[in-house]
């Protein structure tokens, strides 16, 4: 089983609710899981040989929430190449904005540029269609956990 760090960027708490659901499901599958809000680069680096799940919402301007933006900046400015990292990506957004899930998409692009390997497809959750994102994400999380 895998050691998984869940790194959360949330504004109104929906991304955190999804992360907490992921913690329960992945733990039941036998994985060792920990959630990080306002995470540091040092915490991220503890998982470079393991697995990371990024669960983040996106602001109306397509930016990352304040709690995860510093981590993204540090990954971009200080870390660079991370070819051993395996990760998953769940992004919450609102398709009424042109920047739908823009923050999460940018995070995914950065990790791809740094050589990290995404496991499975990104899960994009649209607030227009989904009122309970943590319930909506359950099947994806269960499937993702089996890919590890």
């Amino acid at each position: 089983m895998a050691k998984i760090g869940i790194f959360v960027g949330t504004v109104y708490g929906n991304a955190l609710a999804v992360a907490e659901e992921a913690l329960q499901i992945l733990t039941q599958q036998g994985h060792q899981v920990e959630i990080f809000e306002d995470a540091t680069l040092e915490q991220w680096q503890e998982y470079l040989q393991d697995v990371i799940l990024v669960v983040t919402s996106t602001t109306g301007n397509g930016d990352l929430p304040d709690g995860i933006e510093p981590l993204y900046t540090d990954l971009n400015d200080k870390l660079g190449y991370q070819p051993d990292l395996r990760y998953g990506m769940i992004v919450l957004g609102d398709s009424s904005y042109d920047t739908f899930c823009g923050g999460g998409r940018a995070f995914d692009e950065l990790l791809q540029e740094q050589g990290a390997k995404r496991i499975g497809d990104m899960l994009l959750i649209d607030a227009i269609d989904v009122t309970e994102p943590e319930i909506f994400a359950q099947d994806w999380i269960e499937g993702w956990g089996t890919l590890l």
Side-chain angles (χ1 to χ4, degrees):
M1 294 291 110
K3 177 181 170 188
I4 305 168
I6 301 177
F7 289 79
V8 181
T10 194
V11 177
Y12 299 113
N14 289 330
L16 181 58
V18 172
E20 289 169 346
E21 187 69 24
L23 173 76
Q24 288 184 334
I25 292 169
L26 295 169
T27 300
Q28 288 171 356
Q29 290 180 338
H31 301 292
Q32 177 186 342
V33 188
E34 188 172 357
I35 292 177
F36 298 92
E37 289 184 82
D38 301 316
T40 65
L41 182 61
E42 292 74 27
Q43 290 168 324
W44 181 277
Q45 288 175 305
E46 291 175 19
Y47 288 87
L48 289 179
Q49 302 297 318
D50 298 299
V51 180
I52 286 177
L53 178 60
V54 177
V55 182
T56 187
S57 56
T58 300
T59 69
N61 292 328
D63 297 324
L64 290 165
D66 292 341
I68 202 168
E69 177 70 34
L71 174 62
Y72 173 86
T73 300
D74 283 349
L75 289 172
N76 189 48
D77 296 346
K78 298 178 182 175
L79 190 56
Y81 196 52
Q82 36 186 336
D84 296 326
L85 177 65
R86 298 181 306 143
Y87 74 97
M89 184 74 60
I90 299 175
V91 187
L92 292 79
D94 182 329
S95 64
S96 68
Y97 291 92
D98 292 337
T99 56
F100 175 60
C101 291
R105 291 177 197 266
F107 208 122
D108 182 66
E109 286 175 23
L110 174 63
L111 295 178
Q112 291 286 309
E113 288 170 7
Q114 293 180 338
K117 296 165 190 71
R118 187 176 66 225
I119 300 166
D121 294 327
M122 258 193 304
L123 176 62
L124 303 178
I125 302 175
D126 187 352
I128 296 291
D129 299 324
V130 177
T131 57
E132 296 180 277
E134 67 277 12
I135 304 299
F136 180 82
Q138 287 176 339
D139 289 343
W140 185 94
I141 295 165
E142 287 174 10
W144 186 79
T146 64
L147 297 174
L148 304 178

